[in-house]
Amino acid sequence: MSATHTTLASRLRATIVSRSLRLRAPFAAVASRFRPTLACAAVILLAQLTAAAATAQELPRVDPADAGFIPERLERIGALLDDYTSNGSLSGAVVTVLRDGAVVYEKAAGHRDLESDDRMRTNAIFRIASQSKAVVSVAVMILQEDGALLISDPVARYLPAFARTTVAVPRTDTAGYDVVAPNRRITIRDLLTHTAGVAYGGGPGGDQWREADITGWYFADRDEPIRLTVDRMAGLPFQAQPGSRFVYGYSTDILGALVEEVSGMNLDEFLYRRIFEPLGMEDTFFYLPSDRIRRLATVYGHDGDGNLVRSPDGPGMNTQGEYTSGPRISFSGGAGLLSTARDYARFLQMMLNGGALGDARILSPTTVALMTSNHIGDLMGNGVGFGLGFQVRLDLGAAGAPGSIGDYGWGGAYHTTYWVDPAERLVVVYFTQLRSVRPVDDHGKLRALVYAALARQ
């Protein structure tokens, strides 16, 4: 997008944003296709938004018994969350359970904000951190379906800085590491499966990542486009040879920069136009509009005595973060999104439906099947593998928790989690806001209670 178009988009944003509407990517479309007056562009934009709102139907709600659940067993989830929020394990939480595309259970427990005594509501907005990865992975597959790329392509075809990457190899006889050439170029598929060798700035070579000020997953305070950060990453040593190990880190942030390069839009705009707007995801953002700040769940941790304490304000992984007041320029595809349980459930239901929700077709069923298949053999172990953006269950016994072979999901650094079970036609979204060293076993218990409540197919 040219500087002229970007300026026009910014002026439109400032001039016609209504606090009750989501005005995001259509600015780019209006700016690039028209050069009329601002008033004319505003009329066009409002018409598009009105049409989109009319087609975004809410998911139906059904009686749990009609969906094959034992209602009183399903209510054990609420009792668990009430217990955990009253005893100080959690400040608050929201859970949504879908079956066959309908809401069968929804619960908000505890507080959105303890200091103001504001109770949690189901429309609370949460920092979903690494749950952003699934969304950006879908964006990459959209581009493959557009014919704009192949996931077998080398990343350097689109991001030239990755033409000469390196790998840090620990020395076996002395301290330190050697920097060597990769055995092959990193592909887009390597990034999707977290087998590109890109960590979060630790391990051998971590000193160079620290000097470059690129460590940890938190990017919201960065005053530079993600592409500039990613290009600097390419010059730092990675942790493993491409394809050799599962290494969790910046892979999806690199994919976000790739989406920008291939699409010609910033990541924020592309996700809105191709995923959020068609799916009716009304409250999913990288940075929160001012009218929604009052719905943002506060982050808490635990002190040395195990008491809940409010995380400090300001930037950083263990703070409230600058999701409301940051520069609004660094769109972290790996960990930057905020969302609601309702929005994320719509996204996952689209996946469970084979790439469609209502009239919106995001992906083909074939692409969804590819994304939710294991691509990495037994690199993860423990009965699970990894697809294109999702962890996939391969063996019930080895995994050791209730579920089905083929269920898939992931979680986020603020103690959020989700999973999709195609065999049971089930979607579960669970959001909290916790950054703590104190272990909390709510994720495992939630999974156990959901499956214990299933009575029939």
Side-chain angles (χ1 to χ4, degrees), residues 68-285:
F69 284 92
I70 302 171
E72 57 268 27
R73 287 192 166 208
L74 206 55
E75 288 298 332
R76 294 174 183 172
I77 297 172
L80 175 74
L81 296 184
D82 286 340
D83 182 42
Y84 276 41
T85 54
S86 63
N87 69 18
S89 296
L90 301 170
S91 56
V94 173
V95 62
T96 299
V97 180
L98 311 180
R99 199 176 199 203
D100 293 320
V103 179
V104 298
Y105 187 78
E106 189 175 46
K107 168 76 174 181
H111 287 80
R112 181 197 68 83
D113 184 84
L114 288 167
E115 286 72 27
S116 63
D117 195 30
D118 188 12
R119 301 291 300 180
M120 185 67 77
R121 297 172 179 82
T122 55
N123 71 344
I125 297 172
F126 295 81
R127 303 154 188 82
I128 64 171
S130 286
Q131 291 189 207
S132 309
K133 290 177 169 67
V135 177
V136 174
S137 298
V138 166
V140 173
M141 302 312 292
I142 289 172
L143 291 172
Q144 175 164 283
E145 290 196 347
D146 287 349
L149 57 77
L150 290 172
I151 62 172
S152 58
D153 290 339
V155 177
R157 180 173 297 179
Y158 308 99
L159 303 178
F162 285 80
R164 290 183 175 86
T165 59
T166 58
V167 178
V169 179
R171 295 171 183 156
T172 57
D173 53 347
T174 61
Y177 60 90
D178 296 312
V179 177
V180 303
N183 54 22
R184 62 169 173 80
R185 286 189 172 188
I186 295 170
T187 67
I188 297 171
R189 184 169 176 243
D190 291 329
L191 295 175
L192 287 163
T193 58
H194 296 284
T195 58
V198 186
Y200 272 129
D207 55 330
Q208 296 188 45
W209 287 80
R210 290 188 291 274
E211 289 172 8
D213 191 28
I214 306 176
T215 57
W217 46 264
Y218 175 81
F219 278 21
D221 63 329
R222 289 186 176 271
D223 194 13
E224 67 176 7
I226 191 66
R227 174 63 178 274
L228 295 182
T229 311
V230 163
D231 280 350
R232 294 207 311 278
M233 288 180 188
L236 301 171
F238 296 161
Q239 295 296 299
Q241 291 287 353
S244 65
R245 287 197 289 126
F246 181 88
V247 180
Y248 195 62
Y250 292 120
S251 288
T252 315
D253 289 290
I254 299 169
L255 288 173
L258 182 143
V259 169
E260 292 190 340
E261 175 64 27
V262 174
S263 70
M265 290 180 260
N266 68 46
L267 186 60
D268 185 42
E269 292 170 344
F270 185 88
L271 296 183
Y272 176 68
R273 292 176 65 178
R274 300 299 298 271
I275 299 176
F276 302 155
E277 193 269 347
L279 293 180
M281 296 172 66
E282 301 167 351
D283 292 310
T284 304
F285 304 88

